[in-house]
Amino acid sequence: MIEPKAELLINYQTIQENVSYLKSLLSPLTSFMAIIKANAYGHSLEKFVIELDALVDGYGVVRLEEAISIRKISSKPVLLMQGLYSEEGFQIAANNNFFLTVHHSSQLELAKKFNSSLSLWLKFNTGMNRLGFDISDQTGLNYFNLEKNCLMSHLACADIPQEQMNQQQFALFNELSRCFDKTKKSILNSAGILHFPEYGFDWVRCGIGMYGGLPNKYLRTAMTLRSKIIAIKTLKRGQRIGYGGRYTATENKTIAVIYCGYADGYPQTAIDGTRVLINSKECSILGRVSMDLLTVDITDRSGIKEGDWAELWSSENSISSISSYNNLISYELMTKVTSRVVKKN
Ligand SMILES: *Cc1c(COP(=O)(O)O)cnc(C)c1O
């Protein structure tokens, strides 16, 4: 080894187990769409499709190039969740048998033209107020009320089950369903599957749960971000550490310096106490994370030496606890691992 480098390892078996658990919550009649936008949330889109194709019923992405990459490997349904925006785009979708979301009036003329050759997913706004038609548009859209099409909406607060917004969105979705009595239906994301599995309808759209990014004891983090200890130091009582001297030692401390920083995708804002696992021992960050390095308290942790691996997150050091401890979301941590990190499997 010429130099140590931060490494990213993906355990696809863990993803398979997470998917099996999530599917076990749903009716066997509900189809499972694996959401693999943003390079499968950082888990490598191509490898994901190869490893998971037998277990899922289709894929959801946001970019055309992602859909085309999937089509080279799998013949299963692929949904473009934000649709396409030109005749050329619709034609490519038809040629590749992609499902296409229609969320905006500017897409309607094209959608009508391709209504016989494409599966169209009509997106309605039930409270998220980001994308989608309003409820009042429903009667003007009944030419899409066909069995091959799908009615879709997206939950804003599925991770907070007691939020009244959830029931309001379900109520509006049910109201819409009466108008679109022939189409398929889809509203749940991962948190929705955990908290409201009875609304699974025809398709669920599951992303973060498959990767183990939700706080749930049956879902495990599939991604390991790790790097090596390149120095061990002692910090005397009263000495401070790193930029800004954020932490002052209240007693003598032993500090491990890890070869990983925010330029690898570890959050610069990580606070003191954030958990790092070294030789299966719980340790915690002390001092500000810098570009290439971070510093960890290993006082009284015996047997830790230079060259040992430190797990910044992994199945034993869950990414959802790292993110919630820091007021971040696991989605962001997963998708921000940078290109200089070595990808291994
Ligand atoms: C990203 C996305 C999902 C998946 O959400 P998770 O919280 O990762 O399960 C579902 N539906 C739409 C429209 C999305 O954009």
Side-chain angles (χ1 to χ4, degrees), residues 159-189:
D159 54 334
I160 317 166
Q162 69 278 18
E163 243 294 344
Q164 56 172 358
M165 172 82 90
N166 291 304
Q167 295 310 325
Q168 289 166 359
Q169 290 197 259
F170 289 133
L172 282 179
F173 196 70
N174 282 334
E175 189 185 321
L176 280 167
S177 299
R178 283 197 287 278
C179 193
F180 293 92
D181 58 335
K182 296 203 178 67
T183 65
K184 300 192 170 51
K185 318 275 182 299
S186 172
I187 189 164
L188 295 186
N189 57 3

Side-chain angles (χ1 to χ4, degrees), residues 35 37 41 62 81-82 123 130 152-154 187-191 205-209 211 214 331:
I35 304 305
K37 58 195 176 188
Y41 295 36
V62 293
M81 292 194 294
Q82 270 130 56
K123 181 157 185 172
R130 198 177 55 176
M152 81 183 276
S153 192
H154 193 47
I187 189 164
L188 295 186
N189 57 3
S190 301
R205 307 185 308 271
C206 182
I208 197 74
Y211 311 108
L214 290 175
Y331 303 72

Side-chain angles (χ1 to χ4, degrees), residues 285-343:
I285 288 198
L286 283 184
R288 217 190 269 176
V289 172
S290 50
M291 187 180 287
D292 312 306
L293 300 169
L294 52 86
T295 44
V296 173
D297 183 5
I298 58 165
T299 311
D300 301 331
R301 306 288 190 282
S302 59
I304 294 178
K305 55 189 189 310
E306 292 174 357
D308 287 351
W309 287 107
E311 290 180 7
L312 289 323
W313 54 74
S314 65
S315 65
E316 277 72 48
N317 189 19
S318 103
I319 195 166
S320 72
S321 36
I322 303 290
S323 56
S324 62
Y325 188 78
N326 284 289
N327 264 316
L328 298 167
I329 57 172
S330 57
Y331 303 72
E332 188 174 353
L333 299 185
M334 289 176 185
T335 54
K336 278 195 167 165
V337 175
T338 64
S339 59
R340 79 175 189 186
V341 175
V342 178
K343 276 87 191 165

